[in-house]
Amino acid sequence: MMESIIHELRLILRARVASGALVLLLLLSALAVWSGLHEAARQRLTIDRLALLNERDVAALAARSGPSPEGGSPAYYTFFQTWDAPSDTAFLALGLRDVSPWVMRIRALGLHAQLYDGENFNPEVALPGRFDFAFVLIYLLPLFAIALLHDLVSGERQSGRLHMLAAMPGGANMWRRRVALRYALLFACLAVPVLAGLAAAGSGVGAACLVLAVSAAYLAFWTGVCLLVGTLGWRTVTNATALMGAWAVLTLVVPALANVALSRAIPVHQGVDLMLAQRELVHGAWEVPRAETMRKFYAGHPAWQDSAPLPATFHWKWLFAFNQLGDEGVAAQARDYRAGLVARQVWTDRLGWLLPGVGAQAVLHRLANTDLLAQLAYQDRTTAFHREIRHFYYGYLFRERPFGMADFARRPAYTPGATQSALPWAAACVFFLMAGLVGLAGWRRLRRFSNAS
């Protein structure tokens, strides 16, 4: 048995296309893991550097502004940094971290104008995406599986060796051995760099097992597809064309059409639109009588209604009052925006029930904590911290308490969360079931072909 495996391995390594494909897949996997680790490390360094710069800015502001009679100037000019550090497994699938903000500088003014300001980016720069392990697994691995398996049978038939191989003792086992060896080599080219990356990132055993299971299942799916097509008796060119068409349809065409269908079925405005709506309310508040603004504010926030009346001149608490009213004026739009995004994510997970590439990607992004739910959780933490900032400064603004140098040290500090969204187990189970069924169907087809030969 071992001699047969060694013999088959030699045949694969002698074939330039097969050996070259394996080496290239190994290099691409290693490069993707390294690139992901490098990007995660860069983001952590950026977070640390920006935190240090922000503290320097606050110290300079404290030294420059001096004491304030009611804290209005420090509340207006002091920025606070929030951040969402990459998880230990973020290098596998960077997901929305490529286009969504993972560091924000906020202050006590209107939140929505700051929360969605990070969505202003050049779409042409974001279009290529990041080269990470998820990209190699979902889009490139099927091509290497096709390269190694599309001519497994047709190549022997066209060379005239098929009947001779079928007549040899153990001919049926030979086909299964060849497929299993190619599967193992392709899986090893993925697993070795990933395990090295997980070890370097300090990830747990559970994450490693799940990543390997997703990779093995996705490879099993495409191995089954290659076997189902390769045993139909077609020529090598026909097999390759059919498999490449299946790859294009399953990984590119159908997901793109499904995304367009979801966008039309569940229309969602951009966060920038929400930001502009909030800014319009804030800018329009300058034309509203101050007494009316304060009446609306106190009606919604009775804890501050015993504050002293506004003076004839400008007062900071009026500015912060209409900024908060601007946030509250778009609260319904913000809820609808968020609900639309979550609904799209739910249907995207369901799409993974039919498309194994989408299912595998959903599991990897959730494991890496880089999907939409992770981004929304970061926004929730930022929103909660913004409420804390407002409450801190409102104690000075509405109680007419002086704000001195020592009060800068008492300002709220952001505590990053480590929220890990639950894995989409329904989509994951359906993905594993589909991949297993297709892989088993291809294996049984090969077995019947071997017996018939």
Side-chain angles (χ1 to χ4, degrees):
M1 180 65 179
M2 185 57 65
E3 293 181 358
S4 300
I5 295 177
I6 294 176
H7 175 69
E8 293 294 342
L9 181 59
R10 288 175 179 172
L11 291 178
I12 294 176
L13 297 180
R14 287 177 183 175
R16 293 183 178 179
V17 174
S19 59
L22 291 172
V23 172
L24 181 59
L25 178 59
L26 179 62
L27 292 176
L28 289 174
S29 300
L31 180 60
V33 170
W34 175 85
S35 176
L37 289 171
H38 176 75
E39 176 61 20
R42 185 191 70 82
Q43 291 182 7
R44 294 188 184 97
L45 289 175
T46 300
I47 290 172
D48 294 339
R49 180 174 57 85
L50 292 179
L52 179 61
L53 292 176
N54 188 74
E55 289 301 313
R56 290 179 179 175
D57 289 345
V58 173
L61 174 64
R64 182 175 64 251
S65 61
S68 173
E70 75 295 287
S73 180
Y76 185 85
Y77 291 105
T78 301
F79 281 88
F80 296 79
Q81 179 172 311
T82 70
W83 64 91
D84 181 28
S87 65
D88 293 338
T89 52
F91 72 93
L92 294 170
L94 293 170
L96 289 180
R97 297 186 69 87
D98 193 34
V99 295
S100 298
W102 35 268
V103 176
M104 285 188 281
R105 296 181 74 225
I106 62 173
R107 48 183 175 162
L109 294 174
L111 175 63
H112 290 297
Q114 307 173 76
L115 199 60
Y116 302 105
D117 188 54
E119 291 192 5
N120 292 321
F121 60 89
N122 188 345
E124 293 186 359
V125 175
L127 183 62
R130 287 286 178 181
F131 181 72
D132 52 19
F133 176 76
F135 178 84
V136 173
L137 176 67
I138 305 302
Y139 297 102
L140 301 186
L141 175 63
L143 300 178
F144 289 95
I146 292 171
L148 266 66
L149 295 169
H150 77 283
D151 62 345
L152 188 65
V153 176
S154 59
E156 301 293 353
R157 180 186 292 111
Q158 291 178 209
S159 64
R161 295 191 299 264
L162 183 60
H163 295 293
M164 180 188 67
L165 294 174
M168 294 176 60
N173 292 329
M174 178 199 67
W175 294 110
R176 292 192 288 271
R177 187 167 56 246
R178 286 186 172 184
V179 172
L181 184 58
R182 284 163 172 76
Y183 177 92
L185 290 173
L186 288 170
F187 181 72
C189 291
L190 295 173
V192 172
V194 164
L195 289 176
L198 291 171
S203 303
V205 177
C209 292
L210 184 57
V211 173
L212 294 181
V214 170
S215 303
Y218 192 65
L219 178 57
F221 172 82
W222 280 104
T223 300
V225 172
C226 291
L227 294 179
L228 290 173
V229 174
T231 54
L232 292 176
W234 296 343
R235 294 179 61 84
T236 298
V237 174
T238 306
N239 290 342
T241 303
L243 290 171
M244 288 297 297
W247 170 81
V249 170
L250 292 177
T251 60
L252 301 176
V253 178
V254 176
L257 293 177
N259 183 56
V260 173
L262 279 178
S263 299
R264 293 189 175 184
I266 310 176
V268 177
H269 294 291
Q270 297 294 323
V272 175
D273 298 331
L274 190 60
M275 175 191 72
L276 293 176
Q278 193 268 354
R279 285 184 174 176
E280 287 181 2
L281 291 176
V282 170
H283 295 329
W286 291 92
E287 307 299 328
V288 177
R290 297 193 306 166
E292 181 180 346
T293 298
M294 299 309 297
R295 180 184 58 80
K296 291 182 179 179
F297 178 80
Y298 290 141
H301 305 276
W304 310 108
Q305 64 183 356
D306 58 345
S307 179
L310 289 175
T313 57
F314 172 82
H315 197 283
W316 285 104
K317 63 183 176 183
W318 169 62
L319 174 69
F320 284 92
F322 71 67
N323 266 270
Q324 182 153 358
L325 290 176
D327 278 342
E328 295 169 359
V330 297
Q333 294 176 250
R335 287 192 296 269
D336 293 341
Y337 172 69
R338 183 189 182 99
L341 292 178
V342 173
R344 283 186 182 179
Q345 182 63 44
V346 170
W347 279 103
T348 300
D349 291 342
R350 292 174 180 173
L351 183 63
W353 300 355
L354 302 176
L355 299 176
V358 176
Q361 198 167 33
V363 175
L364 288 179
H365 283 169
R366 192 69 54 81
L367 175 65
N369 212 33
T370 58
D371 62 351
L372 174 66
L373 297 183
Q375 179 63 22
L376 293 179
Y378 172 49
Q379 290 184 4
D380 289 341
R381 294 193 296 270
T382 302
T383 301
F385 182 58
H386 187 264
R387 285 196 297 267
E388 188 178 350
I389 295 172
R390 272 178 168 166
H391 184 77
F392 173 75
Y393 284 114
Y394 282 5
Y396 296 91
L397 290 168
F398 292 93
R399 297 289 183 259
E400 304 290 343
R401 287 164 45 197
F403 191 98
M405 294 289 292
D407 294 300
F408 277 97
R410 287 194 288 268
R411 71 188 191 280
Y414 177 73
T415 302
T419 304
Q420 178 68 50
S421 303
L423 290 172
W425 288 113
C429 291
V430 175
F431 160 71
F432 285 120
L433 179 61
M434 175 186 292
L437 290 176
V438 174
L440 181 61
W443 187 261
R444 289 175 64 85
R445 172 69 181 173
L446 178 66
R447 186 175 182 179
R448 289 197 299 270
F449 169 81
S450 302
N451 293 334
S453 301

